[in-house]
Structures are given as C-alpha cells and as structure tokens.
Amino acid sequence: METKVFNKDEVAQAAALIKAGEVVAFPTETVYGLGADATDPKAAEKVFQAKHRPADNPLIVTVAGPDMVAQFATITPAAKKLMDAFWPGPLTIILNILPGKLSMVVTGGLQTAAFRMPANSLTRQMISLAGRPIVGPSANISGKPSGTRPEHVLHDFDGAIAGILDDGPTTVGVESTVIDMTVTPPAILRPGKITPKLLAPVIGEVQSDHHKVGAKETPKAPGMKYKHYAPSAQVVIVDHPADFPAALKWAEQNGQPFGVLATDDLLTDVPSAVPTYSLGRDLTSATHNLFAGLRWFDLHPTVTVILAEAFAQEGLGVAYMNRLNKSAGNDHFDPDQH
Ligand code: TXA
Ligand code: MG
C-alpha cells in the first residue's frame, strides 16, 4: 500500500482514512502515534499488526477532549481536575470504563482504559473530523525507540500504513506520563514531562514506584514486561560527565567500533573519528533528541557500542533516565571495573 503524507491542509483526508478503518500516523507533543478508529476492533487490530505489538499490551485511547472520554469511562472528580489542569498535554489518564463500551482489542481485556488528549491541534482536528477517538500507541515497531519525526515513522511503516499526518518533529521527545486514577493513591505507571511535583498540587500525593509488574500479568505500562527503545548496538550509560574520559578509553581498548550520544560540551572531547550524535545543550534538548539519536545509530551499523550521557533523576530527568535505562537494559559504565 502507498503511505500518503498529509500536510496541515489535508487533515480532512487523514480523517477520512481513519473513518474508513485505516491506520494513519499522527503527531503529538511527545512522539508520533499510530492512529486507528478506537471503536472499530478490526481497525485497532491493524495497529497491533503494523507494530508487531503483543496483544496483551493495551492501547491508549486518544481523544479530542473530555467529552469524548465521558462516552467510554467514568470521569471521577480527581480525574476531572487533572483534565482541567493538564489537558491538552502530555498526561495519559487511566480510568474505569463503562462496561461494553470499548473492545477487548483496545483494552487488552482490562476493565480500565488509558485516555489522552494531545496538545497537537492538527491531531485533535483529525479526531474531531473523524468523530471518534483513535487508538494511539507510539509509532515504532514494538521494542524500537519511539518515532519523534515523520521520517522515523516512514522508516518503520512506509508501505504498511495508509497515511501519516506530518507536523514536523515533536517537541517533548518522550511519551506522556501515564497515571492510574483507578487506584488509591493514584499511581504513575510511566514517568513523563508531567512530574509528581506538578501533579501533587492538583490531586495530592501520587505513587511513583513503577516497577512492580510481574512477567505473567498484563503489563500496566510498556517496558514493564517487554524490551523497549533498544537500538541494534549496546547502549552503555555513563553516569557522570567526569567518567567520560575513562569510558572513552575503555571503549577504545575494547576494540569494538563505538559511538557517543551526549550533549555538546562532552562531545568536544571525543576523537573526531568516533561517530557522535548531539543531544544538544541540556536535559530538555537531550530528551527531545534521545530517540532520534538512538535511531541514528541504527543507521550506522558499524557501531556496536553507544556511550550515552546520563542526567540526574529529577524532574524531566526521571523520564529521560527511564527511557535510557530501558534502551541500555540498565547497562552502566563502572569506572572501577573497567
Ligand atoms: O505520549 C504518548 O503517550 C504516545 C503518543 C503517541 O500519544 N503514546 C504512547 O502509547 O506512548 P503506547 O501505547 O506506546 O504507551 C501507552 C502505554 C501502553 O503501552 C500501556 O501499557 C499503557 O499505556 N496502558 C494503556 N492502557 C492501559 C490500562 N488500561 N492500564 C494500564 N496501562 C495501560
Ligand atoms: Mg510505545
């Protein structure tokens, strides 16, 4: 199939494809998503197939606004507060669903579903025009870094999906915060730009211990059970800038071709023959560039090791390190052992 690229003047064509049960990739402020009619199990099924996604990993229901959520789930007063404070924006809210309103294909058989109203106005326009919510997992082959640019989406899905709504690179760079409002206190299942510190003034304390899903349960958020965000090369995290000289030495002696994924300050000390990808200047740019960088190294298959810069686990740093740790399978450079 030909994958059509739609620009901002062609949203109606993208919406028509959604209505026809086809898969259309869409931009959000976090990462691109793979959209399909959430009320049509056959359409949602196509998304699982395109992504090679395990069937027990539930999909996000992406809406144009809270009204759309009310058709499918119970909006508790606390959930309403979150919507008022953070929507549209990078917060996905898990709610109890109204029985029979959403297909098992979407919910993975759970009595809950995840709802998200993205900040991207083109996407909200597409959903409004289609007149129904769309499922919206990140636009990447399952296990690979999420797509943050239209070219990433085409790399993974050209010829496999009907279209892509192109709005250039995303801004945040990592997926939305996922909060489960069906438990007390509410639990953060996946860290993102909306941090516990931002949530607390609105709904009080939240649990942010998101590591408790066993391999046999239906995962509460991705990456809890499945390998995630992994490029072909092994990512090795360098915890402190001061460790970089030792890490570079180790990588050179190791003999395997390696690359470096770090901010500009650190890259100035890397020998020019070593392939590098810049994370920009700071944590915000690093988060924005992380998945693009991991994907860039996949296009340079001579590299088998990627030394990657860590950030402190505070604020957005929690989300950055969550994704980086997963991409590395938690492999950290240990200056004492190398
Ligand atoms: O920023 C984002 O959230 C992006 C953009 C495209 O909107 N979407 C995204 O979708 O990251 P996805 O499917 O890759 O990650 C959402 C995760 C799912 O993997 C799933 O594990 C979790 O949210 N989830 C969905 N429904 C759930 C539910 N009912 N209970 C617990 N977790 C759920
Ligand atoms: Mg994903």
Side-chain angles (χ1 to χ4, degrees), residues 51 138 140 146 228:
K51 275 188 67 105
S138 52
N140 53 276
S146 303
H228 233 77

